[in-house]
Each structure stands twice: as structure tokens, then as C-alpha cells.
Amino acid sequence: MSQDTDEKEETLFEAPPIAEQERMCEAILFASAEPVTVKEMSARMPHGCDVVEALVHLRKRYEGRGVQVIKVGEAWAMRTAPDLGFLMQKETVETRKLSRAAIETLAIVAYHQPVTRAEIEEIRGVSVSRGTVDQLLEMEWIRFGRRKMTPGRPVTFVVTQSFLDHFGLESARDLPGLKELRSAGLLENRPPPGAMSPDDDSEDGGDTDQSDMFED
Amino acid sequence: MSQDTDEKEETLFEAPPIAEQERMCEAILFASAEPVTVKEMSARMPHGCDVVEALVHLRKRYEGRGVQVIKVGEAWAMRTAPDLGFLMQKETVETRKLSRAAIETLAIVAYHQPVTRAEIEEIRGVSVSRGTVDQLLEMEWIRFGRRKMTPGRPVTFVVTQSFLDHFGLESARDLPGLKELRSAGLLENRPPPGAMSPDDDSEDGGDTDQSDMFED
Amino acid sequence: MSEDLFEEDQTEPTRVADRMAAEALIVDVDGFEGPLDLLLTLSRTQKVDLRKVSVLQLAQQYLAFVERAKQLRIELAADYLVMAAWLAFLKSRLLLPPDPTEEGPSGEELAAHLAFQLERLQAMREQAATLMARDQLGRDFFARGIPEDVMRVKRVTYTATLLDLMQGYARIRTKDEFRPYIMDRDAVFTLEQALERMRPLIGFAATWTDIATYLPEGFTSDPARLRSATASTFAASLELVKEGKAEIRQEDTFAPIQVRRRDR
């Protein structure tokens, strides 16, 4: 497999054997507290390495160990096995207590992304305070997404890689209950009946945006 | 073995199997911000664990991997394998133009090789700094040639194969001569008083290559 | 696995929350995050699936709540009153037979939308709880404790083109007269040599002395040698002035250049 890649790329030197590539990925992931993207790993490893294949091998090797290789969005990381958390009291960082409003806002962004502030308010039934959004932005759990193509082109919010990393999610598609919520129609942005909003046509329930977003 | 320990210490619960103890040591070593002593590990792990044995197993497991289990004084730690240190660097290459002094020195070596430092200074009319020569040596564009059979037997400099490769020359004799330089407008059209330069003679006939060369 | 955990976790607090909500209805109006939150709490008292919630009953409960708040002289925020008005309208729509001449959505449609909103909010609350019950980084699982920094190595490579080389060479060759390549280094008196010669001597020059007197022996007869020696001796003099070891002057154009030591 890595042979093919070599031939395709016509590298001057042969890539190291896959076992060695695996060692390299191991060292890079091990050394970093932050997830490392495949792209960055490729850049640091010798030319012609098949990083993804090496990572798949590596993940397998760490299965059931005290440390695990996990995928976080486009990046990979090593993390201790969750069942051993009790050993780490010493390492536990006191996280800032999030308000109920912040937690709900975070969940809404995660499940409805990309979502505008107006949509969050619509779902929660109250206005979203600036502080709540700022706090989530500051924690780097949410970030600005693309602007919506609706009148006023409002900014949207999406969750970040740090969010995925923090909650041990491989991608936003792995959010628990996502499928059920979608099939129950609860992720739709249904306009109130009789509301003659001009964007009624273009706003096909946000469903298309949704699937878009979760493809990433 | 862990059985023995249990019995000796008369613990209420049995210690976890050694494989599990190994996982625990692995997670602790991975997540700790400092090397951890056996004593500290014992205190954090369930009662009756044989930390030393678990660590020996763990060290063995990581032998030859990208990560190693090492003993640091009385404490234990995990580190990336020393031979993979190069992966912990992110190299950025910045290309700069060679200084004027270096270009002139290089040109003199190319046209007059083998040439001594004193001769270079003679031609440039200024002293040649050590740094300039060192830089060219380091770039492997010049190298030491044979010593001159003159008093003091000074070392000489000649250009290297890398130099020829970089400038797309087959040999230093392919360098355009003064005549060509002049006709290319690179020299003032002032006839040289006295004899022809030694290079002028040898340098004819490279005409076809020449035009190529000036393309660069 | 974490979902199972969550299920277990979730059932208990919900019951507690129920009890607390019932009390909150009476004492703590401010505890609600707006009318929708209040409606959601009220709907729980119906103890049915949110999809089967009776919106009519809910509207009545809400209106009763607002009525009670008024009796207790509790100041209600405007949006609570707006919701009350809207629910009163909805209630009448639901109770009266539909008027075919009337425009707009039917009571059933409006009720269905409210039910949807409540269900959606409830779903998001549950998801928020599930999310927070997940294993979290820094709490349940951990990152590398001693991260190794990735060193950023900046490597500078130098480059030049053949044209640079040509131009460099041309520059040298046009700077001074072209002459065949011969070694005539003995006709050159370098700046370094001149400095070496002048340094020990300048200490004795208490009075102004023509720099010509510093010319080395054997460099005064041959014009080329004289030129080189004069130039370097002059340059060396300037160098010594710069170092603060000497002073230099010239009375007039083309007059002899004189130096003397500088006393501090």
C-alpha cells in the first residue's frame, strides 16, 4: 500500500517501512498535548509516508491499553483510557463551571450547527446573553462559521476541534442521539405557522446545511 | 507474584491483575507532568499493586517503540525514543539572496580557480572576510583545492560539483568569458588593456549553452 | 457505555427537579428562563410525553400562573405577558369552531408548533446533560502531561543565480582596469600593514607630523607602491582617529595631511 503511494509520488527515497512509520506517528502523537493533524504529521515525517495507514495500525496497537489513540476531527491524539480517570485526581484541572445557559447554548450549537444567534434564541425561547457566547468562544469550544445566506447574512456558530477533543468525539457526527433527533425532526428550524418571513423558501429547514456541516 | 503480595499485606480486595496494573502505570506516566516515583504510583493505584513489576512489564512492552519507559533517578517517565528526536522539529526553510561579497568571491573562485585567499583579495581589492569564505564552503559551492607551490604554500579554493549543478554548468570552463559578458552588456564595453585573460581563451565555443545560461 | 450511565443518572434528578419545579412555581418566578422555560416546566405536570401534551391545558395552566402572580403582586416581565396574551388567543382558537372566513393558521397548527418548540427545547436540554455527562478531557481522560515542544527550526539557505554571478564578476572587472591576471601583491601595502606600522609610532607623535613620514621603507620610489602605501597609510590614519588615538588635519587643499597623537 505504501509502495503504491511511493510509486505514484515518484519519491527519490523510499519511505521507511510501515512499522517505522507507526513508531514515528507514535512519537509525534505522544509528545503533543494537542491533537495533531494528519497534514502536520506528514510534513514532519519522511517523504512518502502513509500517515493514515500508520495511524490505523497504531490505534489498533493501543486498543485496550492505558493510553489510547483517538481521532479528533481531522487530527489524532493520545489520551488516557477513560476508565482510569480515577487514578488521575492529581492531574484533574478544575474547569470553570458553565452556567445552564452556556451548556444549553453549547448543545444547541453542537446539534444545530451552523446556527445563528437568532436561531439559538428561538430554540431557547430567551435572548442569549453576550457573555454566554463570549465564554464559549473564549474556551474555544465554539467558533464563527460561515455566514448564512439569508437576509442580513448573519454569522453562524459551529463547534471546534477543541470541543470534540474535550468530549472525546471523533467528529460532530458522533454526537450522541444525533440521528434520533434528526429523524424526530427536532433539529429542524421550523418557522412558526403563518410567519410570512421572506426567507421561507430558502430556509429549507436548515437540513441541507446540517448534513453539509456534519460531512466535514 | 501479585498474589503473594496480597497475602502478605492481607488486603481486603484483591489487587487487579498485573496487565491491569500495567495499564494503570501507563496512564499515570503518560498524564503526569513530572516523572513519578514508585511510591507515588503505589499511593495512587489500588491497594496491593506491585508497581515495580508492572513498570518492568511496561518498559518491556515499549521496547523498540516510538515511546520509551525510562527511569529518571528514583522516578519513572515516558519519553519519545531518542532516535526520533528529529520529528520534534518543524523545519522552515527561508531562502535568501547571497550577499554581494559572497557572490563576488564565488565568481572569482569560479573564474580563477584554483585561487588563494590572497589572490581573491587582490582581485576584489578588499579583504575577504572569513565568514564569506566559510559560508561558501558550508554551502558546498567551493572547496579547498591543492596548495599552491608558492612560498607559504597557501591553500587554494576551487568550485564544487554542487556549484556546477546549481548553476547548470557542465564545468567551470562553461562559464561565459569576458567577451560574452561584454556582449551581453554585463561588462562595460572597454577593451581590456594588455593580454587576454586566461579564461578568455578557453571560454569560446560555449556559445550555445551561454544563451541558455543567461535565461536563468 | 456513557449513555447507560447517563440514563441512570438522569432518572433520579428529573424526579427531584419535578418536585423542585412545583415549589418554584409558587415562590420563584425569576427562576424561569423565560415563558418557554415556564411552559416546559408546566407541561411536566401533565406527566405525558411531550408529543401528547395538551396545549389547551398548558395554556390554561400558564394563564392561571400569570393570574396568580398578579394576585401576589409579582412583577412579571413583558415577555411573560406577551406569551399570556398569545396563549389566550390560542386558547380561544382551540375552543371555538374554526371560522372558514378567517385568514392565517388554525389553532391546531399553532398548538402543534408550540408543542414542537417545547419538545425541541426539552431535547436540547437532555442533549446538554448527556454531553456534560460524557467523559471529559482533563476530568476523565487526560492528555500528555509533559508535552514536548515542537522546535521550530529555521533554516536559511542562500541562493544565487548565474546572472548574479556574472554581474558580480563584471562588477569587479569593471571596477578597476582590467589587467591580465598576475600576482603583484608585493606592490600592495595593505590597510592592516599600515595600521600595524602606525600603531606603535603614533604614541610618539606629540606634534603634527606629515603622514608621508609614516610610509614604509621601499614603498616611496615605485609609483604603484607609493600609491598603495599612501592610500593605506591615509586610511590607517583615519582608522586611528576613529579609534580616538590620533587627530588629523589638512591646512589647505593638497597641503600635507598631518597627524598627531591625541592626549586624553
Side-chain angles (χ1 to χ4, degrees):
Chain A
M1 170 117 181
S2 62
Q3 283 293 3
D4 290 357
T5 326
D6 284 1
E7 276 163 29
K8 251 180 270 156
E9 299 192 3
E10 292 182 70
T11 50
L12 199 57
F13 303 103
E14 238 174 275
I18 190 73
E20 190 60 19
Q21 296 184 29
E22 196 191 313
R23 277 187 83 223
M24 291 177 178
C25 289
E26 187 178 25
I28 292 174
L29 288 187
F30 175 86
S32 173
E34 303 294 319
V36 188
T37 62
V38 170
K39 199 173 152 205
E40 196 192 328
M41 259 183 279
S42 296
R44 279 159 66 181
M45 283 167 61
H47 202 65
C49 284
D50 188 340
V51 173
V52 173
E53 200 197 341
L55 284 168
V56 169
H57 280 265
L58 190 67
R59 171 150 68 178
K60 193 146 204 153
R61 184 181 292 271
Y62 274 91
E63 257 168 32
R65 308 284 321 143
V67 171
Q68 302 193 337
V69 175
I70 56 164
K71 197 170 173 232
V72 183
E74 293 305 297
W76 292 68
M78 278 172 100
R79 301 284 180 250
T80 61
D83 67 308
L84 299 178
F86 70 96
L87 292 169
M88 308 302 166
Q89 254 90 49
K90 225 185 118 205
E91 264 67 49
T92 309
V93 261
E94 206 37 67
T95 42
R96 200 160 17 143
K97 201 103 172 86
L98 279 179
S99 67
R100 177 175 143 175
I103 293 172
E104 280 182 23
T105 303
L106 179 65
I108 292 167
V109 174
Y111 284 88
H112 290 262
Q113 63 178 331
V115 66
T116 66
R117 178 190 289 259
E119 287 163 353
I120 298 170
E121 294 183 340
E122 158 77 19
I123 294 168
R124 294 200 64 229
V126 280
S127 63
V128 175
S129 85
R130 219 199 128 95
T132 303
V133 173
D134 285 353
Q135 190 185 12
L136 293 173
L137 284 169
E138 204 186 307
M139 293 176 83
E140 297 190 337
W141 279 358
I142 68 171
R143 62 174 176 83
F144 292 109
R146 274 169 300 183
R147 284 178 182 277
K148 262 234 155 106
M149 296 307 274
T150 50
R153 306 206 60 201
V155 294
T156 63
F157 298 100
V158 295
V159 291
T160 62
Q161 182 178 288
S162 298
F163 167 86
L164 298 177
D165 190 22
H166 187 90
F167 291 100
L169 293 163
E170 203 168 293
S171 80
R173 271 174 298 174
D174 295 337
L175 282 165
L178 186 69
K179 223 186 283 169
E180 293 79 356
L181 288 173
R182 190 179 288 159
S183 60
L186 291 173
L187 299 182
E188 287 168 29
N189 184 17
R190 217 182 275 169
M196 295 302 271
S197 78
D199 42 59
D200 253 10
D201 296 326
S202 58
E203 198 103 57
D204 32 12
D207 235 312
T208 37
D209 302 53
Q210 206 88 64
S211 38
D212 249 40
M213 195 62 208
F214 285 101
E215 291 299 294
D216 301 356
Chain B
M1 174 130 182
S2 60
Q3 283 292 0
D4 290 356
T5 327
D6 285 0
E7 275 162 30
K8 249 180 270 154
E9 299 194 4
E10 292 179 72
T11 50
L12 197 58
F13 303 103
E14 244 175 90
I18 191 73
E20 191 59 20
Q21 295 184 30
E22 197 191 313
R23 280 185 80 224
M24 292 177 177
C25 288
E26 188 178 28
I28 291 174
L29 290 185
F30 175 83
S32 297
E34 286 155 27
V36 194
T37 62
V38 170
K39 203 175 148 201
E40 215 178 322
M41 255 184 280
S42 296
R44 282 161 73 175
M45 281 164 63
H47 203 63
C49 285
D50 188 341
V51 173
V52 173
E53 201 198 340
L55 283 170
V56 168
H57 279 265
L58 189 66
R59 173 149 68 177
K60 192 147 203 148
R61 183 182 294 269
Y62 274 96
E63 255 168 34
R65 306 287 320 142
V67 170
Q68 299 191 341
V69 177
I70 54 163
K71 213 176 159 203
V72 186
E74 286 306 294
W76 291 70
M78 281 169 95
R79 294 271 189 272
T80 53
D83 66 311
L84 299 178
F86 70 96
L87 293 170
M88 301 305 140
Q89 303 184 342
K90 203 189 263 171
E91 205 174 66
T92 50
V93 180
E94 191 186 309
T95 309
R96 287 191 205 154
K97 265 245 182 271
L98 208 54
S99 71
R100 176 176 162 152
I103 286 176
E104 288 183 7
T105 303
L106 182 64
I108 293 166
V109 175
Y111 278 96
H112 297 271
Q113 63 173 342
V115 63
T116 67
R117 178 192 290 260
E119 288 163 354
I120 297 169
E121 293 183 341
E122 176 73 30
I123 297 166
R124 282 197 67 212
V126 283
S127 65
V128 173
S129 85
R130 217 199 132 93
T132 304
V133 174
D134 285 351
Q135 187 187 11
L136 293 172
L137 284 169
E138 206 181 304
M139 292 174 76
E140 299 190 334
W141 276 359
I142 67 171
R143 62 173 175 86
F144 293 111
R146 272 169 305 179
R147 284 178 182 279
K148 256 222 161 121
M149 298 306 275
T150 50
R153 304 208 58 201
V155 293
T156 61
F157 298 102
V158 294
V159 291
T160 63
Q161 186 61 44
S162 323
F163 166 88
L164 298 175
D165 292 344
H166 181 90
F167 291 98
L169 298 166
E170 231 165 78
S171 81
R173 277 184 303 174
D174 291 340
L175 278 168
L178 290 175
K179 239 195 288 181
E180 284 97 1
L181 290 184
R182 212 173 288 117
S183 60
L186 292 169
L187 271 181
E188 275 173 42
N189 205 3
R190 182 154 43 124
M196 300 281 282
S197 99
D199 7 273
D200 255 9
D201 297 329
S202 55
E203 233 90 51
D204 293 342
D207 245 315
T208 39
D209 301 9
Q210 222 83 78
S211 44
D212 265 326
M213 245 162 265
F214 282 100
E215 300 290 294
D216 295 7
Chain C
M1 187 169 88
S2 58
E3 290 213 20
D4 291 345
L5 272 174
F6 157 72
E7 292 291 345
E8 283 167 17
D9 284 354
Q10 200 47 23
T11 45
E12 268 307 301
T14 320
R15 261 173 242 145
V16 176
D18 273 349
R19 269 180 278 134
M20 288 177 65
E23 288 158 32
L25 274 180
I26 300 153
V27 295
D28 185 15
V29 180
D30 290 344
F32 295 103
E33 279 200 273
L36 206 59
D37 185 28
L38 172 57
L39 278 167
L40 192 57
T41 309
L42 289 171
S43 71
R44 280 206 203 100
T45 62
Q46 292 188 20
K47 305 233 186 278
V48 287
D49 187 333
L50 266 177
R51 260 166 280 194
K52 293 173 197 139
V53 80
S54 160
V55 172
L56 181 60
Q57 198 185 330
L58 197 56
Q60 276 161 342
Q61 281 174 294
Y62 185 93
L63 293 171
F65 171 83
V66 171
E67 207 46 49
R68 198 138 136 228
K70 271 186 196 157
Q71 282 167 14
L72 292 168
R73 295 172 185 277
I74 293 170
E75 201 75 29
L76 281 180
D79 50 346
Y80 284 86
L81 301 177
V82 171
M83 179 61 92
W86 186 79
L87 285 173
F89 163 74
L90 177 60
K91 193 177 132 190
S92 65
R93 278 252 165 151
L94 288 171
L95 290 175
L96 297 172
D99 181 352
T101 60
E102 199 144 17
E103 296 271 312
S106 70
E108 276 72 26
E109 281 170 333
L110 292 172
H113 187 69
L114 180 62
F116 165 74
Q117 281 180 293
L118 290 174
E119 202 193 338
R120 186 173 59 177
L121 179 59
Q122 178 59 27
M124 280 302 111
R125 293 221 164 134
E126 280 163 12
Q127 291 318 315
T130 314
L131 198 60
M132 297 317 278
R134 278 184 75 86
D135 291 327
Q136 292 182 37
L137 179 66
R139 191 185 78 181
D140 307 291
F141 62 97
F142 297 84
R144 174 68 183 142
I146 321 173
E148 290 166 47
D149 284 333
V150 177
M151 270 209 313
R152 279 175 199 277
V153 184
K154 199 165 121 187
R155 196 160 58 91
V156 180
T157 61
Y158 290 90
T159 188
T161 63
L162 192 60
L163 189 65
D164 294 330
L165 200 64
M166 309 283 86
Q167 283 169 336
Y169 191 62
R171 200 158 52 225
I172 303 161
R173 286 326 214 166
T174 48
K175 198 158 59 189
D176 28 61
E177 276 185 348
F178 177 78
R179 55 197 161 73
Y181 184 59
I182 45 157
M183 279 304 296
D184 52 0
R185 193 161 172 80
D186 58 337
V188 173
F189 190 62
T190 65
L191 171 62
E192 284 74 21
Q193 286 171 303
L195 264 175
E196 210 171 294
R197 183 175 166 78
M198 285 189 79
R199 249 183 232 290
L201 295 176
I202 193 73
F204 299 102
T207 55
W208 291 109
T209 328
D210 188 341
I211 61 164
T213 60
Y214 290 95
L215 292 180
E217 279 174 45
F219 270 82
T220 44
S221 46
D222 177 59
R225 290 172 70 107
L226 177 62
R227 200 161 53 230
S228 171
T230 307
S232 53
T233 301
F234 175 60
S237 306
L238 291 177
E239 196 61 39
L240 290 170
V241 171
K242 198 168 127 197
E243 288 171 15
K245 295 201 175 81
E247 293 175 303
I248 193 162
R249 72 173 185 188
Q250 186 177 28
E251 302 270 65
D252 203 355
T253 317
F254 298 118
I257 296 164
Q258 297 174 311
V259 288
R260 71 170 180 196
R261 78 158 183 253
R262 184 172 165 194
D263 298 310
R264 303 180 186 232

